[in-house]
Amino acid sequence: MTSKNLRGFSAGIILSTGILAGFYYTADADKTSELTEESVAQYLSEKGELAISKEEYTSLKDTETVAAPVAKEEPKTAPQKEEEKVYQMTLTITQGMSTGEVCDLLQKENIIKNSDEFLKYLRTNNLEGAVRAESHQVNSKMSFDEIAKEITSS
């Protein structure tokens, strides 16, 4: 970079800084209004809110903490659990189906919740290659172990 270029660049920086400073100091400072009680009251009324003093707040909070232990709790009854729907299916595994496809089919028919978890279970128990190609009766109440025993040769 030559000295002429450097001087021109410096002059541009100085000029732009001067312009920005001029706007900053000559801008209308009255745009920021002071916060007054009237403006706060007007804002709260527009929003449908209410302002209370610290004393009122602490007294309300104290009343709440005193009243909470005194309040008699009714015995909570367990919410009635909806009967879990049992899904049943005849799983027909054909020659050439992958274990992943079998797991996806079981998930699609709501027998298992997650096909990846069941596939992982089969892999960790070395049952992935033992799946038999035939028809199997399965339902959604069966555990992974029960389903695996049904569809494998073990």
Side-chain angles (χ1 to χ4, degrees), residues 91-139:
L91 175 65
T92 305
I93 302 173
T94 59
Q95 197 68 25
M97 278 181 84
S98 71
T99 311
E101 290 172 328
V102 173
C103 295
D104 289 341
L105 185 58
L106 288 168
Q107 180 180 346
K108 181 181 172 190
E109 296 296 326
N110 296 317
I111 304 299
I112 59 174
K113 289 187 170 101
N114 190 330
S115 64
D116 293 331
E117 287 180 16
F118 185 58
L119 183 59
K120 185 177 179 180
Y121 173 82
L122 292 173
R123 286 181 178 159
T124 56
N125 292 297
N126 296 322
L127 298 172
E128 186 176 16
V131 176
R132 294 179 293 167
E134 57 186 49
S135 293
H136 307 277
Q137 291 295 324
V138 291
N139 65 55

Side-chain angles (χ1 to χ4, degrees), residues 6-137:
L6 191 57
R7 280 188 221 138
F9 182 70
S10 300
I13 290 176
I14 291 171
L15 180 64
S16 61
T17 304
I19 291 171
L20 288 174
F23 278 115
Y24 179 77
Y25 289 113
T26 60
D28 190 13
D30 292 336
K31 286 185 180 178
T32 58
S33 61
E34 287 191 32
L35 194 60
T36 62
E37 285 189 39
E38 292 82 27
S39 64
V40 170
Q42 181 184 2
Y43 175 81
L44 289 173
S45 66
E46 287 173 2
K47 298 293 182 180
E49 302 290 330
L50 179 65
I52 61 172
S53 67
K54 284 185 180 180
E55 293 81 21
E56 288 175 306
Y57 175 75
T58 54
S59 69
L60 287 172
K61 194 169 185 175
D62 291 340
T63 306
E64 179 181 301
T65 55
V66 169
V70 174
K72 196 173 192 178
E73 290 186 26
E74 294 182 21
K76 293 182 180 177
T77 57
Q80 296 272 337
K81 191 175 183 182
E82 291 184 26
E83 283 189 33
E84 197 172 308
K85 189 171 183 179
V86 178
Y87 296 94
Q88 296 183 7
M89 76 172 287
T90 301
L91 175 65
T92 305
I93 302 173
T94 59
Q95 197 68 25
M97 278 181 84
S98 71
T99 311
E101 290 172 328
V102 173
C103 295
D104 289 341
L105 185 58
L106 288 168
Q107 180 180 346
K108 181 181 172 190
E109 296 296 326
N110 296 317
I111 304 299
I112 59 174
K113 289 187 170 101
N114 190 330
S115 64
D116 293 331
E117 287 180 16
F118 185 58
L119 183 59
K120 185 177 179 180
Y121 173 82
L122 292 173
R123 286 181 178 159
T124 56
N125 292 297
N126 296 322
L127 298 172
E128 186 176 16
V131 176
R132 294 179 293 167
E134 57 186 49
S135 293
H136 307 277
Q137 291 295 324

